Amino acid sequence: MVLNRKEAADQEKLKEVKSYREAFDHYDWTKNGTIPIKDLQICMRRAGQNPTDIEVHDMINKIDNGSGVLDFEDFLLVMGEKNRETDIEIHFKDTFRAFSKDQDGCIPADELKFVMNHLPGKVGFEEIDEMIKIVDRNGDGRISYSEFRVMMGAFPLIIPDDPVMKMKIEEKALGMMRNEK
């Protein structure tokens, strides 16, 4: 039997939900279809994720209705959100690898200029230079992965000490949180 892409994707999704159900059921001590919120992190780890304490705290704040427990639907929402975050990070890494051809893990500014100048829509060299100047925080003429992520619209891996930059990051985070609600 040959499966088309949709059927294969559906089967993969079913397998994923089944593995989530097994992890969830393992921590459903009372067998009433809920798990204690305090067990969310270890349950997520059993289901294949490795969230930080802060990530778990943020997730709980989004979905906690005051009962102190999560049902399977809530757990699926949390796992789906975490998977989307992982997918975005994979996309950033794959895109970075396409640009970074050397072994030192950076994109030379000249390489980025060349590629961007040949994209549809023709970005001018002045605009490209300005963007690189903004993104290349340490001024070494190369774009690190952390700098690349910021250029792509992600939060920095390391929060800078610069108070203006910290304020911009906080404003962006608040804006994203407002858009989610």
Side-chain angles (χ1 to χ4, degrees):
M1 179 172 126
V2 178
L3 297 177
N4 67 31
R5 287 183 190 188
K6 183 176 179 354
E7 290 170 336
D10 288 346
Q11 282 190 355
E12 190 63 32
K13 191 71 173 165
L14 286 173
K15 273 194 215 173
E16 186 176 64
V17 171
K18 183 180 178 191
S19 73
Y20 294 165
R21 172 55 83 177
E22 288 171 3
F24 183 86
D25 288 347
H26 185 79
Y27 292 97
D28 181 6
W29 311 110
T30 58
K31 303 299 179 212
N32 67 352
T34 62
I35 61 169
I37 283 181
K38 67 177 179 57
D39 290 342
L40 177 60
Q41 187 170 30
I42 57 175
C43 190
M44 289 179 72
R45 287 188 174 151
R46 185 173 183 96
Q49 293 292 337
N50 191 23
T52 65
D53 292 341
I54 293 170
E55 289 172 326
V56 171
H57 183 72
D58 289 344
M59 289 177 211
I60 289 170
N61 285 339
K62 287 180 186 176
I63 60 174
D64 185 19
N65 61 5
S67 67
V69 295
L70 298 174
D71 62 19
F72 187 63
E73 294 289 320
D74 290 335
F75 183 67
L76 283 178
L77 287 172
V78 167
M79 293 302 290
E81 182 175 318
K82 186 67 179 152
N83 285 338
R84 276 190 297 283
E85 290 172 11
T86 303
D87 291 345
I88 290 169
E89 194 64 33
I90 289 169
H91 175 72
F92 287 152
K93 287 179 181 176
D94 289 345
T95 305
F96 183 79
R97 280 189 208 108
F99 284 103
S100 178
K101 301 295 184 197
D102 57 15
Q103 295 301 316
D104 53 339
C106 290
I107 302 169
D110 292 337
E111 177 73 17
L112 191 60
K113 282 182 198 178
F114 175 80
V115 171
M116 290 188 71
N117 191 48
H118 288 86
L119 290 174
K122 290 284 186 185
V123 179
F125 279 119
E126 304 81 34
E127 292 174 282
I128 296 169
D129 285 338
E130 182 65 24
M131 181 195 66
I132 289 172
K133 190 170 121 183
I134 291 169
V135 172
D136 185 14
R137 300 295 295 168
N138 60 2
D140 66 354
R142 301 175 329 147
I143 309 302
S144 68
Y145 177 67
S146 180
E147 293 167 335
F148 180 79
R149 288 177 80 257
V150 172
M151 181 179 77
M152 298 296 287
F155 290 109
L157 293 172
I158 299 171
I159 305 292
D161 289 335
D162 179 8
V164 173
M165 189 60 132
K166 278 185 182 179
M167 186 177 69
K168 287 181 181 179
I169 292 168
E170 289 170 4
E171 287 172 0
K172 185 174 181 180
L174 287 171
M176 290 175 70
M177 288 170 42
R178 285 186 200 112
N179 290 337
E180 287 177 2
K181 291 181 181 179

